[in-house]
Amino acid sequence: MTSTPGFHTEHMWKWSLTSVGVNLLLGIPAVVPVWLLWYFAANWPLAAVGWTQRNPTENDGMLPWFLVGAPLVVGFTLLWWLANRPVRRRIPLDSPLYWPISALVALVPTFALVIVSVLVP
């Protein structure tokens, strides 16, 4: 692995591990907005095209999504972006590659919970 001028390989590994740690820690509270996005998608757009069945008790309309769901998702996304900006500046990795990798690392706790919920009866 080559290092960029002024950047030692050990510093790159340190910041890479910092990035993974930050995104894994942020992934724990990210379970809530990811679940809200799935719940919304499963009850409205995916149910409208017939891919899922709508929850029969979901009759509140869109107001709760505008008052709670959207601010929660936007707030978490802003927090994730603000936490990753300083780390991103210190890692010699292209921006188009850093952001998707960081998002996938932040989704690891959600994927782990999905796998556990499928495997444990």
Side-chain angles (χ1 to χ4, degrees):
M1 182 175 283
T2 62
S3 62
T4 60
F7 232 97
H8 299 292
T9 305
E10 66 185 46
H11 288 109
M12 186 177 72
W13 280 107
K14 182 192 283 186
W15 281 108
S16 296
L17 289 176
T18 301
S19 174
V20 169
V22 163
N23 285 298
L24 279 176
L25 285 175
L26 285 172
I28 295 168
V31 170
V32 174
V34 170
W35 180 83
L36 282 173
L37 287 172
W38 167 250
Y39 188 81
F40 175 80
N43 279 298
W44 280 281
L46 297 179
V49 295
W51 291 356
T52 61
Q53 286 188 347
R54 194 168 174 189
N55 186 350
T57 61
E58 182 56 56
N59 59 0
D60 295 330
M62 294 303 293
L63 186 60
W65 290 102
F66 287 122
L67 294 178
V68 177
L72 189 73
V73 171
V74 169
F76 177 78
T77 305
L78 183 63
L79 173 72
W80 175 81
W81 179 67
L82 288 173
N84 273 289
R85 274 184 60 196
V87 178
R88 163 61 195 105
R89 289 184 190 140
R90 290 175 173 85
I91 294 180
L93 188 63
D94 292 335
S95 233
L97 192 58
Y98 176 80
W99 293 106
I101 290 172
S102 295
L104 286 174
V105 171
L107 290 174
V108 166
T110 301
F111 293 147
L113 283 175
V114 169
I115 290 169
V116 166
S117 70
V118 168
L119 295 178
V120 176

Short mmCIF file of all heavy atoms in Angstrom, two decimals, residues 10-74:
data_model
loop_
_atom_site.label_atom_id
_atom_site.label_comp_id
_atom_site.label_asym_id
_atom_site.label_seq_id
_atom_site.Cartn_x
_atom_site.Cartn_y
_atom_site.Cartn_z
N GLU A 10 1.30 4.29 8.84
CA GLU A 10 0.71 4.06 10.16
C GLU A 10 -0.36 5.10 10.47
O GLU A 10 -1.36 4.79 11.11
CB GLU A 10 1.78 4.06 11.24
CG GLU A 10 2.46 5.40 11.44
CD GLU A 10 3.60 5.34 12.42
OE1 GLU A 10 4.41 4.42 12.31
OE2 GLU A 10 3.65 6.23 13.28
N HIS A 11 -0.18 6.35 10.02
CA HIS A 11 -1.22 7.36 10.23
C HIS A 11 -2.47 7.03 9.42
O HIS A 11 -3.58 7.25 9.87
CB HIS A 11 -0.71 8.75 9.86
CG HIS A 11 0.28 9.29 10.82
ND1 HIS A 11 1.60 9.42 10.51
CD2 HIS A 11 0.14 9.70 12.11
CE1 HIS A 11 2.24 9.91 11.56
NE2 HIS A 11 1.38 10.08 12.54
N MET A 12 -2.27 6.51 8.20
CA MET A 12 -3.40 6.15 7.38
C MET A 12 -4.20 5.04 8.05
O MET A 12 -5.43 5.08 8.08
CB MET A 12 -2.94 5.70 5.99
CG MET A 12 -4.10 5.44 5.05
SD MET A 12 -3.60 5.00 3.41
CE MET A 12 -2.98 3.35 3.68
N TRP A 13 -3.51 4.03 8.59
CA TRP A 13 -4.22 2.94 9.27
C TRP A 13 -4.94 3.45 10.51
O TRP A 13 -6.06 3.02 10.81
CB TRP A 13 -3.26 1.81 9.64
CG TRP A 13 -2.99 0.94 8.48
CD1 TRP A 13 -1.85 0.87 7.74
CD2 TRP A 13 -3.90 0.01 7.88
NE1 TRP A 13 -1.99 -0.03 6.73
CE2 TRP A 13 -3.24 -0.58 6.79
CE3 TRP A 13 -5.21 -0.37 8.17
CZ2 TRP A 13 -3.85 -1.53 5.99
CZ3 TRP A 13 -5.80 -1.33 7.37
CH2 TRP A 13 -5.12 -1.89 6.29
N LYS A 14 -4.29 4.36 11.24
CA LYS A 14 -4.91 4.91 12.44
C LYS A 14 -6.20 5.65 12.08
O LYS A 14 -7.24 5.45 12.71
CB LYS A 14 -3.95 5.86 13.15
CG LYS A 14 -4.52 6.42 14.44
CD LYS A 14 -3.70 7.57 14.98
CE LYS A 14 -2.46 7.13 15.65
NZ LYS A 14 -1.74 8.25 16.30
N TRP A 15 -6.16 6.47 11.05
CA TRP A 15 -7.35 7.22 10.65
C TRP A 15 -8.39 6.31 10.01
O TRP A 15 -9.59 6.54 10.14
CB TRP A 15 -6.99 8.38 9.74
CG TRP A 15 -6.47 9.53 10.54
CD1 TRP A 15 -5.18 9.96 10.60
CD2 TRP A 15 -7.21 10.34 11.43
NE1 TRP A 15 -5.08 11.00 11.48
CE2 TRP A 15 -6.31 11.27 12.00
CE3 TRP A 15 -8.54 10.40 11.81
CZ2 TRP A 15 -6.71 12.23 12.92
CZ3 TRP A 15 -8.94 11.36 12.71
CH2 TRP A 15 -8.03 12.25 13.26
N SER A 16 -7.95 5.27 9.32
CA SER A 16 -8.90 4.32 8.75
C SER A 16 -9.66 3.59 9.85
O SER A 16 -10.87 3.41 9.78
CB SER A 16 -8.19 3.32 7.86
OG SER A 16 -7.60 3.96 6.76
N LEU A 17 -8.93 3.18 10.89
CA LEU A 17 -9.58 2.53 12.03
C LEU A 17 -10.49 3.51 12.77
O LEU A 17 -11.56 3.13 13.25
CB LEU A 17 -8.55 1.93 12.98
CG LEU A 17 -7.82 0.70 12.45
CD1 LEU A 17 -6.75 0.26 13.44
CD2 LEU A 17 -8.79 -0.42 12.17
N THR A 18 -10.08 4.77 12.84
CA THR A 18 -10.93 5.79 13.44
C THR A 18 -12.22 5.93 12.66
O THR A 18 -13.31 6.02 13.23
CB THR A 18 -10.19 7.15 13.50
OG1 THR A 18 -9.00 6.99 14.25
CG2 THR A 18 -11.05 8.22 14.11
N SER A 19 -12.11 5.93 11.34
CA SER A 19 -13.30 6.04 10.49
C SER A 19 -14.24 4.85 10.70
O SER A 19 -15.45 5.02 10.82
CB SER A 19 -12.89 6.13 9.03
OG SER A 19 -14.00 6.09 8.20
N VAL A 20 -13.68 3.66 10.75
CA VAL A 20 -14.49 2.47 10.97
C VAL A 20 -15.15 2.55 12.35
O VAL A 20 -16.35 2.26 12.49
CB VAL A 20 -13.64 1.19 10.83
CG1 VAL A 20 -14.40 -0.04 11.32
CG2 VAL A 20 -13.22 1.00 9.38
N GLY A 21 -14.39 2.95 13.36
CA GLY A 21 -14.95 3.06 14.71
C GLY A 21 -16.06 4.08 14.80
O GLY A 21 -17.11 3.82 15.40
N VAL A 22 -15.84 5.25 14.21
CA VAL A 22 -16.86 6.30 14.23
C VAL A 22 -18.13 5.81 13.56
O VAL A 22 -19.24 5.99 14.07
CB VAL A 22 -16.33 7.58 13.54
CG1 VAL A 22 -17.45 8.53 13.18
CG2 VAL A 22 -15.31 8.28 14.41
N ASN A 23 -17.98 5.17 12.41
CA ASN A 23 -19.16 4.74 11.67
C ASN A 23 -19.86 3.55 12.33
O ASN A 23 -21.09 3.45 12.27
CB ASN A 23 -18.80 4.44 10.22
CG ASN A 23 -18.59 5.71 9.46
OD1 ASN A 23 -19.50 6.51 9.32
ND2 ASN A 23 -17.39 5.93 8.98
N LEU A 24 -19.10 2.67 12.97
CA LEU A 24 -19.75 1.57 13.71
C LEU A 24 -20.53 2.11 14.91
O LEU A 24 -21.64 1.66 15.20
CB LEU A 24 -18.72 0.54 14.15
CG LEU A 24 -18.29 -0.47 13.11
CD1 LEU A 24 -17.19 -1.37 13.67
CD2 LEU A 24 -19.45 -1.29 12.61
N LEU A 25 -19.93 3.06 15.62
CA LEU A 25 -20.64 3.66 16.76
C LEU A 25 -21.88 4.42 16.32
O LEU A 25 -22.93 4.36 16.97
CB LEU A 25 -19.70 4.57 17.55
CG LEU A 25 -18.68 3.87 18.42
CD1 LEU A 25 -17.73 4.88 19.06
CD2 LEU A 25 -19.37 3.05 19.49
N LEU A 26 -21.78 5.14 15.20
CA LEU A 26 -22.95 5.84 14.68
C LEU A 26 -23.98 4.87 14.13
O LEU A 26 -25.17 5.19 14.04
CB LEU A 26 -22.54 6.84 13.60
CG LEU A 26 -21.89 8.12 14.08
CD1 LEU A 26 -21.35 8.91 12.92
CD2 LEU A 26 -22.86 8.95 14.89
N GLY A 27 -23.54 3.67 13.76
CA GLY A 27 -24.46 2.68 13.23
C GLY A 27 -25.42 2.14 14.28
O GLY A 27 -26.50 1.65 13.93
N ILE A 28 -25.05 2.23 15.54
CA ILE A 28 -25.94 1.73 16.60
C ILE A 28 -27.23 2.56 16.67
O ILE A 28 -28.33 2.01 16.58
CB ILE A 28 -25.20 1.65 17.95
CG1 ILE A 28 -24.08 0.61 17.84
CG2 ILE A 28 -26.16 1.31 19.09
CD1 ILE A 28 -23.09 0.62 18.99
N PRO A 29 -27.14 3.90 16.79
CA PRO A 29 -28.40 4.66 16.75
C PRO A 29 -29.02 4.72 15.36
O PRO A 29 -30.20 5.03 15.22
CB PRO A 29 -28.02 6.05 17.26
CG PRO A 29 -26.57 6.17 17.03
CD PRO A 29 -26.02 4.77 17.13
N ALA A 30 -28.23 4.41 14.32
CA ALA A 30 -28.76 4.43 12.95
C ALA A 30 -29.81 3.36 12.72
O ALA A 30 -30.57 3.42 11.75
CB ALA A 30 -27.63 4.27 11.94
N VAL A 31 -29.89 2.40 13.61
CA VAL A 31 -30.89 1.34 13.48
C VAL A 31 -32.30 1.95 13.45
O VAL A 31 -33.16 1.50 12.69
CB VAL A 31 -30.74 0.31 14.62
CG1 VAL A 31 -31.90 -0.65 14.67
CG2 VAL A 31 -29.42 -0.43 14.49
N VAL A 32 -32.52 2.98 14.23
CA VAL A 32 -33.86 3.59 14.31
C VAL A 32 -34.25 4.27 13.00
O VAL A 32 -35.31 3.97 12.45
CB VAL A 32 -33.95 4.56 15.52
CG1 VAL A 32 -35.28 5.30 15.52
CG2 VAL A 32 -33.75 3.80 16.81
N PRO A 33 -33.43 5.19 12.44
CA PRO A 33 -33.85 5.78 11.17
C PRO A 33 -33.93 4.77 10.02
O PRO A 33 -34.80 4.89 9.15
CB PRO A 33 -32.81 6.85 10.86
CG PRO A 33 -31.88 6.90 11.99
CD PRO A 33 -32.24 5.84 12.96
N VAL A 34 -33.06 3.77 10.01
CA VAL A 34 -33.12 2.76 8.95
C VAL A 34 -34.42 1.97 9.08
O VAL A 34 -35.11 1.70 8.08
CB VAL A 34 -31.90 1.82 9.00
CG1 VAL A 34 -32.08 0.63 8.08
CG2 VAL A 34 -30.64 2.59 8.64
N TRP A 35 -34.81 1.63 10.30
CA TRP A 35 -36.06 0.91 10.50
C TRP A 35 -37.24 1.78 10.08
O TRP A 35 -38.18 1.29 9.44
CB TRP A 35 -36.21 0.48 11.96
CG TRP A 35 -37.49 -0.25 12.19
CD1 TRP A 35 -37.73 -1.58 11.97
CD2 TRP A 35 -38.72 0.30 12.65
NE1 TRP A 35 -39.04 -1.87 12.27
CE2 TRP A 35 -39.67 -0.74 12.69
CE3 TRP A 35 -39.12 1.58 13.03
CZ2 TRP A 35 -40.99 -0.54 13.10
CZ3 TRP A 35 -40.43 1.78 13.43
CH2 TRP A 35 -41.35 0.73 13.46
N LEU A 36 -37.21 3.06 10.43
CA LEU A 36 -38.30 3.96 10.02
C LEU A 36 -38.42 4.05 8.50
O LEU A 36 -39.52 4.06 7.95
CB LEU A 36 -38.09 5.36 10.61
CG LEU A 36 -38.44 5.53 12.07
CD1 LEU A 36 -38.02 6.92 12.56
CD2 LEU A 36 -39.91 5.32 12.30
N LEU A 37 -37.27 4.12 7.82
CA LEU A 37 -37.30 4.16 6.36
C LEU A 37 -37.88 2.87 5.79
O LEU A 37 -38.66 2.91 4.83
CB LEU A 37 -35.89 4.42 5.81
CG LEU A 37 -35.37 5.83 5.99
CD1 LEU A 37 -33.91 5.90 5.58
CD2 LEU A 37 -36.20 6.82 5.21
N TRP A 38 -37.50 1.73 6.36
CA TRP A 38 -38.06 0.46 5.89
C TRP A 38 -39.56 0.40 6.16
O TRP A 38 -40.33 -0.03 5.31
CB TRP A 38 -37.36 -0.73 6.53
CG TRP A 38 -38.14 -1.98 6.28
CD1 TRP A 38 -38.84 -2.72 7.19
CD2 TRP A 38 -38.37 -2.60 5.01
NE1 TRP A 38 -39.47 -3.77 6.56
CE2 TRP A 38 -39.20 -3.71 5.21
CE3 TRP A 38 -37.95 -2.32 3.72
CZ2 TRP A 38 -39.62 -4.55 4.20
CZ3 TRP A 38 -38.37 -3.16 2.70
CH2 TRP A 38 -39.19 -4.25 2.94
N TYR A 39 -39.99 0.82 7.34
CA TYR A 39 -41.40 0.78 7.69
C TYR A 39 -42.22 1.65 6.74
O TYR A 39 -43.28 1.26 6.26
CB TYR A 39 -41.58 1.24 9.14
CG TYR A 39 -42.98 1.05 9.66
CD1 TYR A 39 -43.40 -0.19 10.12
CD2 TYR A 39 -43.88 2.11 9.70
CE1 TYR A 39 -44.68 -0.37 10.61
CE2 TYR A 39 -45.16 1.94 10.18
CZ TYR A 39 -45.56 0.70 10.63
OH TYR A 39 -46.83 0.52 11.10
N PHE A 40 -41.70 2.83 6.46
CA PHE A 40 -42.38 3.73 5.53
C PHE A 40 -42.46 3.10 4.14
O PHE A 40 -43.52 3.06 3.51
CB PHE A 40 -41.64 5.08 5.45
CG PHE A 40 -42.22 6.00 4.42
CD1 PHE A 40 -43.36 6.74 4.70
CD2 PHE A 40 -41.64 6.12 3.17
CE1 PHE A 40 -43.90 7.57 3.74
CE2 PHE A 40 -42.17 6.96 2.21
CZ PHE A 40 -43.31 7.69 2.50
N ALA A 41 -41.32 2.58 3.65
CA ALA A 41 -41.30 1.99 2.31
C ALA A 41 -42.21 0.77 2.21
O ALA A 41 -42.90 0.59 1.21
CB ALA A 41 -39.86 1.62 1.93
N ALA A 42 -42.23 -0.06 3.25
CA ALA A 42 -43.04 -1.27 3.21
C ALA A 42 -44.53 -0.98 3.27
O ALA A 42 -45.33 -1.72 2.71
CB ALA A 42 -42.65 -2.19 4.37
N ASN A 43 -44.92 0.11 3.93
CA ASN A 43 -46.34 0.41 4.08
C ASN A 43 -46.91 1.30 2.99
O ASN A 43 -48.13 1.35 2.84
CB ASN A 43 -46.60 1.06 5.44
CG ASN A 43 -46.69 0.02 6.52
OD1 ASN A 43 -47.57 -0.83 6.49
ND2 ASN A 43 -45.77 0.06 7.45
N TRP A 44 -46.09 2.01 2.27
CA TRP A 44 -46.64 2.89 1.24
C TRP A 44 -46.14 2.53 -0.16
O TRP A 44 -46.88 1.91 -0.91
CB TRP A 44 -46.40 4.36 1.60
CG TRP A 44 -47.42 4.80 2.59
CD1 TRP A 44 -48.70 5.15 2.34
CD2 TRP A 44 -47.27 4.87 4.00
NE1 TRP A 44 -49.36 5.45 3.51
CE2 TRP A 44 -48.51 5.28 4.55
CE3 TRP A 44 -46.22 4.61 4.88
CZ2 TRP A 44 -48.71 5.46 5.90
CZ3 TRP A 44 -46.42 4.79 6.23
CH2 TRP A 44 -47.65 5.21 6.72
N PRO A 45 -44.94 2.92 -0.57
CA PRO A 45 -44.60 2.68 -1.98
C PRO A 45 -44.50 1.20 -2.35
O PRO A 45 -45.01 0.80 -3.41
CB PRO A 45 -43.25 3.38 -2.18
CG PRO A 45 -42.80 3.86 -0.86
CD PRO A 45 -43.90 3.68 0.12
N LEU A 46 -43.90 0.38 -1.51
CA LEU A 46 -43.78 -1.05 -1.85
C LEU A 46 -45.12 -1.76 -1.78
O LEU A 46 -45.39 -2.68 -2.56
CB LEU A 46 -42.75 -1.73 -0.95
CG LEU A 46 -41.31 -1.23 -1.07
CD1 LEU A 46 -40.40 -1.97 -0.11
CD2 LEU A 46 -40.81 -1.36 -2.50
N ALA A 47 -45.98 -1.35 -0.85
CA ALA A 47 -47.32 -1.93 -0.78
C ALA A 47 -48.17 -1.48 -1.96
O ALA A 47 -49.01 -2.24 -2.45
CB ALA A 47 -47.99 -1.54 0.53
N ALA A 48 -47.94 -0.28 -2.44
CA ALA A 48 -48.71 0.23 -3.59
C ALA A 48 -48.43 -0.56 -4.86
O ALA A 48 -49.32 -0.74 -5.69
CB ALA A 48 -48.41 1.70 -3.81
N VAL A 49 -47.19 -1.04 -5.02
CA VAL A 49 -46.87 -1.84 -6.21
C VAL A 49 -47.05 -3.34 -5.96
O VAL A 49 -46.81 -4.13 -6.86
CB VAL A 49 -45.43 -1.55 -6.71
CG1 VAL A 49 -45.30 -0.13 -7.20
CG2 VAL A 49 -44.39 -1.88 -5.68
N GLY A 50 -47.47 -3.73 -4.76
CA GLY A 50 -47.78 -5.11 -4.47
C GLY A 50 -46.61 -5.96 -4.00
O GLY A 50 -46.71 -7.18 -3.95
N TRP A 51 -45.50 -5.35 -3.64
CA TRP A 51 -44.33 -6.12 -3.19
C TRP A 51 -44.42 -6.48 -1.72
O TRP A 51 -43.76 -7.43 -1.28
CB TRP A 51 -43.05 -5.36 -3.46
CG TRP A 51 -42.72 -5.22 -4.93
CD1 TRP A 51 -43.40 -5.77 -5.98
CD2 TRP A 51 -41.65 -4.50 -5.48
NE1 TRP A 51 -42.81 -5.43 -7.15
CE2 TRP A 51 -41.72 -4.64 -6.88
CE3 TRP A 51 -40.63 -3.73 -4.95
CZ2 TRP A 51 -40.81 -4.05 -7.73
CZ3 TRP A 51 -39.72 -3.14 -5.80
CH2 TRP A 51 -39.81 -3.31 -7.18
N THR A 52 -45.15 -5.71 -0.94
CA THR A 52 -45.34 -6.01 0.48
C THR A 52 -46.81 -5.84 0.81
O THR A 52 -47.58 -5.32 0.02
CB THR A 52 -44.52 -5.06 1.39
OG1 THR A 52 -44.95 -3.72 1.17
CG2 THR A 52 -43.04 -5.19 1.14
N GLN A 53 -47.18 -6.27 2.01
CA GLN A 53 -48.55 -6.04 2.47
C GLN A 53 -48.51 -4.92 3.49
O GLN A 53 -47.65 -4.89 4.37
CB GLN A 53 -49.12 -7.30 3.11
CG GLN A 53 -49.48 -8.35 2.10
CD GLN A 53 -50.23 -9.49 2.76
OE1 GLN A 53 -50.27 -9.60 3.98
NE2 GLN A 53 -50.83 -10.34 1.95
N ARG A 54 -49.47 -4.06 3.39
CA ARG A 54 -49.54 -2.92 4.30
C ARG A 54 -49.99 -3.38 5.68
O ARG A 54 -50.82 -4.29 5.82
CB ARG A 54 -50.53 -1.91 3.74
CG ARG A 54 -50.44 -0.60 4.40
CD ARG A 54 -51.21 0.43 3.64
NE ARG A 54 -51.18 1.64 4.43
CZ ARG A 54 -51.88 2.70 4.19
NH1 ARG A 54 -52.67 2.72 3.14
NH2 ARG A 54 -51.81 3.73 4.96
N ASN A 55 -49.43 -2.77 6.72
CA ASN A 55 -49.82 -3.06 8.09
C ASN A 55 -51.27 -2.61 8.27
O ASN A 55 -51.58 -1.44 8.05
CB ASN A 55 -48.88 -2.32 9.04
CG ASN A 55 -49.11 -2.68 10.48
OD1 ASN A 55 -50.08 -3.33 10.83
ND2 ASN A 55 -48.21 -2.23 11.33
N PRO A 56 -52.18 -3.50 8.67
CA PRO A 56 -53.59 -3.11 8.75
C PRO A 56 -53.87 -2.05 9.82
O PRO A 56 -54.87 -1.36 9.75
CB PRO A 56 -54.32 -4.41 9.07
CG PRO A 56 -53.28 -5.36 9.52
CD PRO A 56 -51.97 -4.90 8.98
N THR A 57 -52.99 -1.91 10.80
CA THR A 57 -53.21 -0.90 11.84
C THR A 57 -52.56 0.44 11.50
O THR A 57 -52.65 1.38 12.29
CB THR A 57 -52.67 -1.38 13.20
OG1 THR A 57 -51.27 -1.59 13.08
CG2 THR A 57 -53.36 -2.66 13.63
N GLU A 58 -51.94 0.54 10.36
CA GLU A 58 -51.29 1.78 9.96
C GLU A 58 -52.32 2.68 9.28
O GLU A 58 -52.57 2.61 8.09
CB GLU A 58 -50.13 1.49 8.99
CG GLU A 58 -49.36 2.71 8.56
CD GLU A 58 -48.80 3.48 9.73
OE1 GLU A 58 -48.08 2.92 10.54
OE2 GLU A 58 -49.13 4.68 9.82
N ASN A 59 -52.94 3.54 10.08
CA ASN A 59 -53.97 4.42 9.55
C ASN A 59 -53.79 5.87 10.01
O ASN A 59 -54.73 6.64 10.04
CB ASN A 59 -55.36 3.91 9.92
CG ASN A 59 -55.54 3.81 11.42
OD1 ASN A 59 -54.64 4.11 12.19
ND2 ASN A 59 -56.72 3.36 11.83
N ASP A 60 -52.57 6.22 10.41
CA ASP A 60 -52.32 7.56 10.92
C ASP A 60 -52.10 8.59 9.83
O ASP A 60 -52.10 9.78 10.10
CB ASP A 60 -51.10 7.56 11.84
CG ASP A 60 -51.34 6.74 13.09
OD1 ASP A 60 -52.50 6.66 13.53
OD2 ASP A 60 -50.36 6.19 13.62
N GLY A 61 -51.85 8.15 8.62
CA GLY A 61 -51.60 9.09 7.54
C GLY A 61 -50.15 9.54 7.52
O GLY A 61 -49.27 8.91 8.09
N MET A 62 -49.91 10.65 6.86
CA MET A 62 -48.54 11.12 6.65
C MET A 62 -48.05 12.10 7.72
O MET A 62 -46.86 12.36 7.80
CB MET A 62 -48.44 11.79 5.28
CG MET A 62 -48.64 10.83 4.12
SD MET A 62 -47.48 9.46 4.15
CE MET A 62 -45.96 10.28 3.84
N LEU A 63 -48.93 12.66 8.52
CA LEU A 63 -48.51 13.67 9.50
C LEU A 63 -47.43 13.18 10.46
O LEU A 63 -46.44 13.88 10.68
CB LEU A 63 -49.72 14.21 10.26
CG LEU A 63 -49.43 15.38 11.21
CD1 LEU A 63 -48.87 16.57 10.43
CD2 LEU A 63 -50.68 15.77 11.96
N PRO A 64 -47.54 11.97 11.04
CA PRO A 64 -46.45 11.51 11.92
C PRO A 64 -45.11 11.41 11.20
O PRO A 64 -44.07 11.64 11.79
CB PRO A 64 -46.92 10.14 12.39
CG PRO A 64 -48.39 10.15 12.22
CD PRO A 64 -48.67 11.04 11.06
N TRP A 65 -45.15 11.08 9.92
CA TRP A 65 -43.89 10.98 9.17
C TRP A 65 -43.27 12.35 8.98
O TRP A 65 -42.05 12.49 9.01
CB TRP A 65 -44.13 10.30 7.83
CG TRP A 65 -44.43 8.86 8.03
CD1 TRP A 65 -45.66 8.27 7.99
CD2 TRP A 65 -43.52 7.84 8.40
NE1 TRP A 65 -45.55 6.94 8.29
CE2 TRP A 65 -44.24 6.65 8.54
CE3 TRP A 65 -42.15 7.82 8.61
CZ2 TRP A 65 -43.65 5.44 8.88
CZ3 TRP A 65 -41.55 6.61 8.94
CH2 TRP A 65 -42.30 5.45 9.08
N PHE A 66 -44.08 13.37 8.76
CA PHE A 66 -43.55 14.72 8.61
C PHE A 66 -43.08 15.30 9.94
O PHE A 66 -42.12 16.06 9.99
CB PHE A 66 -44.59 15.65 7.99
CG PHE A 66 -44.81 15.40 6.53
CD1 PHE A 66 -46.07 15.09 6.07
CD2 PHE A 66 -43.75 15.45 5.63
CE1 PHE A 66 -46.28 14.85 4.72
CE2 PHE A 66 -43.95 15.19 4.29
CZ PHE A 66 -45.21 14.90 3.83
N LEU A 67 -43.76 14.94 11.04
CA LEU A 67 -43.41 15.50 12.34
C LEU A 67 -42.29 14.75 13.05
O LEU A 67 -41.51 15.35 13.79
CB LEU A 67 -44.65 15.53 13.25
CG LEU A 67 -45.77 16.45 12.82
CD1 LEU A 67 -46.94 16.32 13.77
CD2 LEU A 67 -45.29 17.89 12.75
N VAL A 68 -42.21 13.43 12.86
CA VAL A 68 -41.23 12.63 13.60
C VAL A 68 -40.23 11.95 12.66
O VAL A 68 -39.02 12.06 12.84
CB VAL A 68 -41.95 11.56 14.47
CG1 VAL A 68 -40.94 10.68 15.17
CG2 VAL A 68 -42.87 12.22 15.47
N GLY A 69 -40.73 11.23 11.68
CA GLY A 69 -39.87 10.42 10.83
C GLY A 69 -38.86 11.22 10.04
O GLY A 69 -37.66 10.94 10.08
N ALA A 70 -39.33 12.20 9.31
CA ALA A 70 -38.42 12.98 8.45
C ALA A 70 -37.37 13.74 9.28
O ALA A 70 -36.18 13.68 8.95
CB ALA A 70 -39.21 13.92 7.56
N PRO A 71 -37.75 14.44 10.36
CA PRO A 71 -36.71 15.12 11.15
C PRO A 71 -35.70 14.16 11.76
O PRO A 71 -34.51 14.47 11.85
CB PRO A 71 -37.49 15.86 12.25
CG PRO A 71 -38.84 16.03 11.69
CD PRO A 71 -39.08 14.83 10.81
N LEU A 72 -36.15 12.98 12.16
CA LEU A 72 -35.23 12.00 12.74
C LEU A 72 -34.23 11.51 11.70
O LEU A 72 -33.02 11.44 11.96
CB LEU A 72 -36.02 10.82 13.31
CG LEU A 72 -35.21 9.83 14.12
CD1 LEU A 72 -34.83 10.46 15.46
CD2 LEU A 72 -35.99 8.57 14.35
N VAL A 73 -34.71 11.18 10.51
CA VAL A 73 -33.82 10.70 9.45
C VAL A 73 -32.87 11.81 9.01
O VAL A 73 -31.66 11.59 8.86
CB VAL A 73 -34.64 10.15 8.26
CG1 VAL A 73 -33.75 9.86 7.08
CG2 VAL A 73 -35.40 8.90 8.68
N VAL A 74 -33.40 13.01 8.81
CA VAL A 74 -32.55 14.14 8.39
C VAL A 74 -31.54 14.48 9.48
O VAL A 74 -30.37 14.73 9.20
CB VAL A 74 -33.42 15.36 8.01
CG1 VAL A 74 -32.57 16.61 7.84
CG2 VAL A 74 -34.21 15.07 6.75
#
